[in-house]
Amino acid sequence: MGYKYGVWYVYSKNVFTTKHMSHFTVACLMNKKDMYDLYYSIRDIFGYTNAVIVNCKDAKVFDSNMYKDDNNDLYSWGYEGKILHWNVLKSLLIDYECNYTDNNHTTIQYSKNKDDLDPYELDHNKSIICRLVCVDMNDDNPENWKIII
């Protein structure tokens, strides 16, 4: 099933090593029309980029099925972050059929088996600039998710 369509903030692969596209999810489990409409709403207010402060000193193992309509049974670990202007971004989400979490985070590793996760902490937090994108997450394998725009 995957996570249908969504809007992300992506960042350079040089920031963290992942097998999938490095990102912070704004919204997921969307239909295609709502995904595009949300993307353009965010772009029109904030432009194509945003900053995220990432807490790399505290690696987190995230619950599977963390979104309300999520039944992927996919475990993950990563770092929590603060997306700049999150409260304003979140206020835009109420106009769309989507899932989101106030626990902004980036996933470093996904697995169907929680015991396969290998979290690690870093010595310093990071401030990163991310680019707004639309993404197709219909595949069960995060390595096959792809940016649409």
Side-chain angles (χ1 to χ4, degrees):
M1 172 191 147
Y3 293 87
K4 298 184 181 177
Y5 296 96
V7 176
W8 288 350
Y9 278 113
V10 296
Y11 55 87
S12 169
K13 281 279 211 189
N14 298 336
V15 176
F16 301 111
T17 302
T18 64
K19 292 184 178 180
H20 59 279
M21 278 184 283
S22 304
H23 68 279
F24 281 85
T25 301
V26 175
C28 62
L29 293 159
M30 303 180 78
N31 65 52
K32 213 173 203 177
K33 180 187 181 319
D34 279 350
M35 172 197 64
Y36 283 119
D37 289 348
L38 176 60
Y39 170 86
Y40 290 119
S41 293
I42 294 170
R43 184 207 61 190
D44 290 350
I45 295 170
F46 297 106
Y48 291 104
T49 60
N50 200 353
V52 181
I53 307 301
V54 187
N55 181 2
C56 305
K57 295 179 181 181
D58 188 18
K60 299 281 187 188
V61 174
F62 304 118
D63 293 332
S64 65
N65 305 325
M66 72 167 47
Y67 299 102
K68 69 176 175 148
D69 297 317
D70 182 358
N71 61 3
N72 287 288
D73 297 325
L74 200 55
Y75 294 97
S76 61
W77 79 268
Y79 305 110
E80 293 179 338
K82 301 272 187 216
I83 297 175
L84 191 63
H85 307 297
W86 174 248
N87 288 335
V88 178
L89 279 166
K90 187 169 87 170
S91 72
L92 298 174
L93 300 177
I94 61 171
D95 293 332
Y96 302 97
E97 191 71 31
C98 67
N99 283 207
Y100 67 91
T101 176
D102 282 319
N103 178 22
N104 301 140
H105 64 279
T106 187
T107 298
I108 305 301
Q109 180 187 9
Y110 290 99
S111 178
K112 286 285 190 183
N113 183 350
K114 192 173 187 175
D115 293 334
D116 290 341
L117 298 177
D118 189 23
Y120 56 86
E121 295 174 349
L122 301 175
D123 293 333
H124 304 300
N125 292 335
K126 296 182 184 240
S127 176
I128 57 178
I129 300 300
C130 300
R131 180 174 53 94
L132 186 68
V133 298
C134 289
V135 65
D136 177 344
M137 298 173 278
N138 283 289
D139 198 291
D140 287 335
N141 182 346
E143 294 176 39
N144 295 328
W145 296 343
K146 50 190 171 283
I147 292 173
I148 299 170
I149 58 170

